[in-house]
């Protein structure tokens, strides 16, 4: 007889089943602990950890956190019949009011949860905070609401605040509250890659994608959803890819957002500011980002971000509309970028991390207007202190290099003691962006605007964009009386006239030869007949600026602005022309004929600038006090009048010019004596400046540089070509170095280049 289910086999089955149940229990327990670990890491990311509350650098930050929380708490309407939390954020049609409401609640939660804050654990604050959160859920943001106004507030802005609040108050929220708040986030941000149902269709790219990843990852940790955490992790892979069109990072170091706008220090800064902490959040967990393409992040630091930070300041020409944003500043943006790079250095490969830290120390020590450590937020201040106190980290030293970014029509030229930036536009890159009521006077910022940084690090901060004459930006040739007002109306704030306009011309770009470079722009004014050609040749201590074939038929005056420099609060910076010091009185203006050279004294030391004019033109000079308001450039900004002083130099081309030209040379850092000496013994020769070719030679460096504008065979300075191109040739002893590019990016064939020199061999 055969027994069914013999005792020994039955016991074995029961034992195996018991073991299986235990394993499930243990695995579930470990998984729960892992969620909690990830959530706790985000808590530490928000509030910091391991700091000494009485540290003189830390204590003011704790005071500031408590002060902000108190301010929002005291101004919040706590009445039982309230119809808003704050009277200035009461709209039910302006979506930014939702984000701002949650931003203030987050500040209150931060005051409550931050160790060392005077409000930490305050029961009354908590009660009012929870009441406010419940009110917002019931009346403004829940899973039954529909998107209105700006999708960003529903899918990114508000969810980022709300998930942070859930982490900060995790132990104080009831299961119902947690479910309600995270259910609303799930409604509007169910995916790390695409828009919510009811929003604009499409796949997210760049900073928007990274913000989405952050929301989905943090919510996944809060609600303990492994699928969401895995989805967030997997969404990184597309983000790491270099792009060949549209939004994202390009192999040449460019970064675009909104399709045609350079945004390395705007959306690019937001991207790296989010990618660093979220990658660190997932590190060491089941959901760690392991895609080998993450190494591209380290390349971005060196190729995209390092060139656009000058002594702590981020270049405005890659900040998009944020350059005209209320409260924004080059130094503030730059230091935020440096903070992000510091966080990346915590998990970068050792060699890359060492290089990053060396860069950071250089930026921090060379910035004379903003202290790096004391301006770090609480979560990263200890990291900054450690880096700056580490004697083993050697500062990089001044970066001397030329960068051409052909995919975003930008150039950065770094010489000894100065940085020169060039902003252009083409068939590929729009002139400027002005949406959401921002950058309302950005009209000419992509028309060949030049930026010159030196030791005057506040030149482009301190309300420069609110007070500068926006029709007369340095480097730009403009129809100066063609009004750009009024602004265009739009659903989300006004927009500046002509924004997001592509040029009809594709010859925009240049070539790089080590520390030197050439750039050019064929331009067409927006809404006017003005056209022309502009070239810049950038050498060691001089920038040669040429204009040719400048034409207009509108009967209005055309001007090229050589300089429009913000000067001291007294406005008395010495201005010398041809050896004569001119009036230091504000309101002074003069027409200066036969100008060979000019010199503008700085006011902080090391910020003098010389100007050489090879053709001794007539120059119009103006010393003026200009008054504006932040609201002039940012619809939501302060209307309080601001006055700053400027010294301007312009070249007048007359009304309806035909074939007009100009020539001038910028001499950064030169004293008046050195500028005079340069004018008497110039180191450059303008070889030609007309509609087919613009070319110069730098005689002491042995460099000839030329921009060829036509697809015809032509020669200049020993260089012969047959197509449109930009060329630099340098004789260096027995060697000849050559750089050539096709700025049109449209030549599908070849370019024939001949150099009139005797040679023995050639190597690439």
């Amino acid at each position: 007889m055969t027994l069914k289910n013999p005792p020994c086999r039955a016991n074995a089955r029961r034992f195996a089943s018991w073991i299986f149940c235990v394993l499930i229990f243990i695995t579930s327990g470990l998984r729960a602990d892992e969620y909690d670990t990830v959530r706790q890491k985000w808590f530490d990311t928000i509030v910091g950890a391991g700091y000494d509350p009485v540290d003189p650098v830390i204590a003011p930050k704790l005071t500031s956190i408590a002060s902000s929380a108190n301010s929002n708490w005291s101004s919040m309407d706590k009445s039982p019949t309230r119809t808003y939390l704050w009277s200035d954020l009461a709209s039910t049609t302006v979506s930014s009011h939702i984000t701002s409401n949650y931003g203030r609640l987050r500040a209150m939660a931060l005051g409550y949860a931050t160790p060392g804050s005077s409000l930490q654990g305050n029961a009354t604050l908590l009660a009012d905070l929870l009441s406010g959160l419940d009110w917002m859920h019931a009346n403004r943001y829940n899973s039954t609401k529909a998107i209105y106004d700006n999708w960003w507030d529903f899918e990114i802005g508000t969810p980022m605040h709300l998930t942070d609040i859930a982490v900060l108050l995790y132990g104080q929220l009831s299961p119902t509250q947690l479910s309600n708040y995270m259910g609303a986030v799930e409604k509007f941000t169910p995916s790390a890659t695409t828009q919510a149902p009811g929003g604009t269709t499409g796949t997210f790219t760049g900073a928007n994608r990274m913000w989405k990843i952050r929301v989905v990852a943090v919510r996944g940790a809060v609600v303990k959803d492994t699928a969401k955490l895995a989805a967030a992790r997997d969404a990184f892979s597309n983000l790491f890819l270099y792009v060949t069109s549209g939004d994202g990072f390009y192999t040449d170091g460019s970064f675009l957002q909104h399709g045609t706008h350079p945004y390395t220090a705007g959306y690019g800064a937001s991207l790296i500011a989010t990618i660093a902490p979220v990658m660190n959040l997932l590190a060491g967990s089941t959901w760690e980002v392991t895609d080998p393409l993450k190494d591209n992040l380290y390349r971005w630091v060196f190729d995209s971000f390092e060139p656009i930070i000058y002594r702590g300041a981020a270049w405005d020409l890659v900040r998009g509309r944020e350059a005209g944003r209320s409260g924004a500043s080059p130094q503030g943006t730059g230091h935020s970028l440096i903070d992000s790079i510091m966080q990346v250095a915590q998990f970068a490969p050792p060699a890359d991390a060492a290089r990053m830290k060396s860069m950071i120390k250089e930026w921090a020590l060379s910035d004379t207007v903003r202290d790096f450590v004391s301006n770090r937020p609480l979560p990263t201040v200890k990291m900054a202190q450690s880096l700056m106190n580490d004697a083993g980290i050697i500062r990089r030293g001044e970066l001397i290099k030329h960068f051409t970014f052909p995919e975003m029509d930008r150039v950065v030229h770094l010489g000894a003691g100065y940085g020169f930036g060039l902003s252009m536009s083409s068939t590929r890159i729009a002139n400027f962006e002005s949406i959401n009521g921002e950058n309302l006077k950005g009209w000419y910022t992509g028309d060949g605007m030049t930026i010159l940084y030196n030791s005057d690090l506040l030149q482009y901060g301190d309300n420069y964009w609110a007070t500068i004459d926006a029709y007369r930006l340095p480097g730009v040739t403009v129809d100066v009386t063609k009004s750009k007002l009024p602004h265009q109306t739009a659903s989300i704030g006004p927009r500046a006239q002509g924004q997001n306009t592509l040029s009809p011309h594709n010859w925009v770009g240049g070539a790089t030869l080590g520390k030197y470079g050439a750039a050019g722009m064929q331009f067409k004014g927006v809404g006017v007949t003005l056209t022309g050609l502009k070239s810049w040749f950038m050498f060691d201590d001089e920038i040669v600026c040429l204009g040719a074939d400048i034409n207009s038929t509108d009967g209005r005056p055309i001007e090229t602005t050589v300089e429009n420099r913000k000067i001291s609060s007294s406005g008395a910076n010495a201005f010398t022309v041809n050896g004569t010091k001119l009036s230091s009185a504000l309101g002074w203006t003069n027409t200066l004929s036969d100008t060979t050279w000019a010199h503008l004294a700085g006011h902080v030391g090391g910020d003098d600038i010389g100007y050489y004019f090879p053709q001794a033109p007539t120059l119009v000079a103006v010393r003026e006090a200009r008054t504006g308001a932040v609201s002039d450039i940012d619809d939501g900004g302060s209307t309080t009048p601001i006055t700053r002083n400027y010294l301007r130099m312009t070249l007048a081309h007359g009304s309806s010019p035909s074939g007009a030209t100009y020539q001038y040379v910028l001499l950064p850092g030169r004293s008046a004596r050195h500028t005079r000496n340069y004018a008497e013994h110039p180191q450059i020769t303008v070889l030609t400046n007309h509609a087919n070719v613009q070319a110069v030679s730098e005689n002491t460096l042995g460099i000839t540089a030329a921009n060829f504008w036509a697809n015809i065979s032509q020669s200049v300075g020993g260089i012969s070509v047959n197509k449109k191109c930009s060329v630099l040739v340098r004789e260096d002893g027995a060697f000849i170095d050559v750089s050539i590019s096709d700025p049109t990016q449209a030549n599908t064939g070849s370019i024939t280049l001949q150099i009139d020199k005797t040679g023995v061999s050639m190597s690439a």
Side-chain angles (χ1 to χ4, degrees):
M1 181 176 70
T2 303
L3 293 173
K4 294 183 179 180
N5 298 323
C8 61
R9 294 178 63 89
N11 289 339
R13 285 176 181 157
R14 284 194 293 271
F15 181 76
S17 178
W18 178 78
I19 290 292
F20 181 70
C21 291
V22 169
L23 288 174
I24 290 176
F25 176 79
I26 292 173
T27 302
S28 298
L30 288 175
R31 181 70 72 192
D33 287 344
E34 190 171 16
Y35 292 126
D36 292 338
T37 298
V38 171
R39 177 173 47 76
Q40 183 60 45
K41 283 181 71 175
W42 194 251
F43 180 93
D44 293 342
T45 299
I46 298 171
V47 306
Y51 51 79
D52 180 359
V54 299
D55 183 313
V57 176
I58 300 293
K61 299 182 185 303
L62 294 172
T63 300
S64 177
I65 288 170
S67 176
S68 177
N70 255 322
S71 176
N72 292 318
W73 184 19
S74 62
S75 60
M76 186 174 76
D77 188 341
K78 308 172 190 65
S79 64
T81 58
R82 62 190 171 191
T83 57
Y84 51 74
L85 296 187
W86 287 276
S87 59
D88 60 331
L89 299 176
S91 175
T92 57
T93 58
V94 179
S95 60
S96 63
H97 282 203
I98 303 175
T99 300
S100 296
N101 269 292
Y102 278 108
R104 291 181 185 179
L105 291 169
R106 183 191 184 278
M108 292 166 63
L110 193 63
Y112 173 84
T114 299
S117 163
S118 60
L119 293 174
Q120 183 185 11
N122 186 298
T124 307
L125 170 61
L126 177 62
D128 289 339
L129 178 53
L130 294 177
S131 175
L133 288 167
D134 286 338
W135 189 91
M136 284 296 294
H137 176 77
N139 296 280
R140 294 289 188 271
Y141 190 77
N142 60 55
S143 58
T144 68
K145 297 292 184 181
I147 293 175
Y148 59 81
D149 196 21
N150 191 340
W151 65 266
W152 188 91
D153 293 295
F154 283 88
E155 300 187 36
I156 293 176
T158 291
M160 286 199 295
H161 287 323
L162 194 45
T163 49
D164 280 359
I165 291 169
V167 169
L168 290 168
L169 302 181
Y170 185 79
Q172 286 72 42
L173 297 175
S174 70
T176 298
Q177 287 172 319
L178 198 61
S179 176
N180 285 342
Y181 307 158
M182 294 301 96
V185 172
E186 174 66 8
K187 159 70 182 291
F188 296 108
T189 312
S191 167
T193 60
T194 58
Q195 301 228 235
T200 303
T201 58
T203 300
F204 278 87
T205 57
N208 286 327
R209 187 184 188 93
M210 190 59 239
W211 282 323
K212 282 270 189 173
I213 291 171
R214 168 185 160 167
V215 170
V216 172
V218 177
R219 181 188 173 277
V222 169
V223 302
K224 304 191 176 184
D225 187 333
T226 191
K228 293 295 184 182
L229 283 158
R233 173 201 62 206
D234 296 343
F236 274 95
S237 294
N238 179 273
L239 194 69
F240 291 138
L241 296 172
Y242 280 108
V243 300
T244 56
S245 64
D247 295 352
F249 287 95
Y250 291 75
T251 55
D252 73 338
S254 299
F255 177 85
L256 300 181
Q257 193 81 27
H258 295 170
T260 58
H261 295 284
Y263 257 118
T264 316
Y267 283 98
S270 296
L271 190 155
I272 195 172
T274 310
I275 201 172
V278 176
M279 283 185 67
N280 183 61
L281 173 72
L282 301 177
S285 75
T286 299
W287 311 282
E288 181 170 4
V289 179
T290 58
D291 191 321
L293 288 178
K294 69 180 182 181
D295 287 351
N296 287 343
L297 169 62
Y298 316 130
R299 305 283 74 73
W300 301 344
V301 170
F302 304 126
D303 298 340
S304 299
F305 294 113
E306 184 179 15
I308 58 92
I309 301 175
Y310 184 80
R311 294 179 60 177
W315 290 86
D316 280 336
L317 50 80
V318 287
R319 291 174 65 206
R321 73 182 191 277
E322 295 181 25
R325 177 172 289 176
S326 177
S329 72
Q331 229 73 22
T333 302
H335 279 235
S336 294
L337 259 172
I338 298 169
D339 190 287
S340 299
I341 294 170
M342 181 174 64
Q343 293 182 61
V344 172
Q346 305 310 304
F347 55 80
D352 289 337
R355 181 178 169 187
M356 291 176 198
K357 292 174 182 178
S358 178
M359 288 159 40
I360 292 167
K361 183 166 279 192
E362 173 63 30
W363 288 324
L365 293 176
S366 63
D367 189 341
T368 57
V369 300
R370 188 182 182 97
D371 181 71
F372 178 62
V373 173
S374 64
N375 281 284
R376 292 307 84 231
L378 189 57
T380 58
V381 67
K382 278 192 62 181
M383 196 184 302
Q385 287 175 319
S386 176
L387 187 154
M388 296 305 295
N389 292 332
D390 188 342
I393 298 173
I394 307 301
R395 62 187 293 186
R396 181 200 61 196
E398 186 175 18
L399 182 62
I400 310 295
K401 197 170 182 181
H402 184 89
F403 299 89
T404 300
F405 300 101
E407 297 294 349
M408 63 179 181
D409 292 349
R410 296 295 188 265
V411 171
V412 171
H413 177 75
L414 302 175
Y418 75 94
F420 176 79
L422 178 59
S423 175
M424 303 174 289
S425 53
S426 65
T427 55
R428 306 171 297 271
I429 297 299
N431 55 348
F432 71 104
E433 183 176 55
S434 172
I435 59 175
N436 300 347
E438 296 177 322
N439 200 25
L440 292 173
K441 290 189 176 182
W443 308 309
Y444 302 109
T445 51
D447 287 6
M449 176 189 71
T450 61
I451 286 179
L452 181 59
Y453 263 117
N454 49 32
S455 55
D456 180 11
L457 297 178
L458 287 178
Q459 176 65 208
Y460 303 101
D462 187 32
N463 296 294
Y464 177 89
W465 297 108
T467 53
I468 186 76
D469 184 342
Y471 290 89
R472 294 178 172 89
L473 300 177
V476 174
T477 301
V478 173
D479 186 332
V480 291
T481 61
K482 171 64 174 177
S483 177
K484 291 292 186 178
L485 297 173
H487 306 307
Q488 300 170 339
T489 58
S491 58
I492 310 175
R495 297 181 177 186
Q497 281 192 32
Q499 75 94 24
N500 201 34
T501 300
L502 295 174
S503 166
H505 301 298
N506 62 9
W507 204 123
V508 177
T512 299
L513 185 63
K515 297 183 293 184
Y516 316 112
M521 176 185 183
Q522 185 176 7
F523 73 94
K524 164 72 172 65
V526 177
V528 296
T529 63
L530 175 63
T531 58
L533 305 171
K534 303 174 81 68
S535 286
W536 299 265
F537 301 102
M538 293 148 278
F539 302 115
D540 52 353
D541 56 1
E542 71 232 312
I543 299 105
V544 184
C545 308
L546 303 182
D549 200 30
I550 298 169
N551 303 290
S552 172
T553 60
D554 294 319
R556 291 185 297 268
I558 306 300
E559 296 179 8
T560 295
T561 300
V562 174
E563 184 62 278
N564 203 348
R565 196 83 178 162
K566 182 155 59 70
I567 53 179
S568 68
S569 58
S570 69
N573 299 53
F575 180 54
T576 305
V577 175
N578 292 349
T580 301
K581 282 189 177 182
L582 302 181
S583 173
S584 61
L586 290 168
W588 169 86
T589 184
N590 206 343
T591 300
L592 309 169
S593 59
D594 300 320
T595 302
T596 304
W597 64 273
H599 179 268
L600 177 61
H603 54 276
V604 299
D607 56 332
D608 286 13
I609 306 173
Y611 309 85
Y612 166 56
F613 300 91
Q615 296 180 312
T618 296
L619 189 73
V620 177
V622 177
R623 189 189 295 267
E624 61 181 342
R626 293 189 53 81
T627 299
V630 175
S631 59
D632 295 337
I633 58 173
D634 182 348
D635 189 50
S638 170
T639 59
T640 302
I642 304 164
T643 299
R644 296 292 181 268
N645 302 320
Y646 289 85
L647 190 290
R648 185 177 84 236
M649 290 182 279
T650 58
L651 296 167
H653 303 298
S655 296
S656 295
S658 176
T661 65
Y662 65 79
Q663 302 179 16
Y664 62 92
V665 182
L666 301 176
L667 303 168
R670 299 247 183 176
S671 67
R673 180 172 62 86
H674 287 135
T675 302
R676 181 195 63 208
N677 290 342
Y678 186 95
E680 293 172 352
H681 308 284
Q683 296 172 5
I684 63 99
T685 301
V686 177
L687 301 175
T688 186
N689 183 33
H690 59 68
N692 287 336
V693 58
Q694 293 174 299
V696 304
S697 63
E698 213 295 352
N699 305 312
T700 63
L701 296 174
I703 298 176
T704 300
N707 288 331
F708 295 91
W709 298 101
N711 283 324
I712 58 174
S713 295
Q714 50 190 322
S715 300
V716 64
I719 301 171
S720 299
V721 301
N722 68 335
K723 296 283 181 66
K724 298 176 181 180
C725 60
S726 181
V727 181
L728 292 101
V729 175
R730 185 184 188 190
E731 293 186 63
D732 185 11
F735 299 94
I736 297 177
D737 297 323
V738 180
S739 175
I740 183 170
S741 74
D742 168 29
T744 72
Q745 301 184 36
N747 188 341
T748 58
S750 61
I751 299 174
T752 299
L753 168 67
Q754 293 181 319
I755 302 172
D756 187 14
K757 300 292 178 183
T758 301
V760 177
S761 63
M762 188 171 97
S763 63

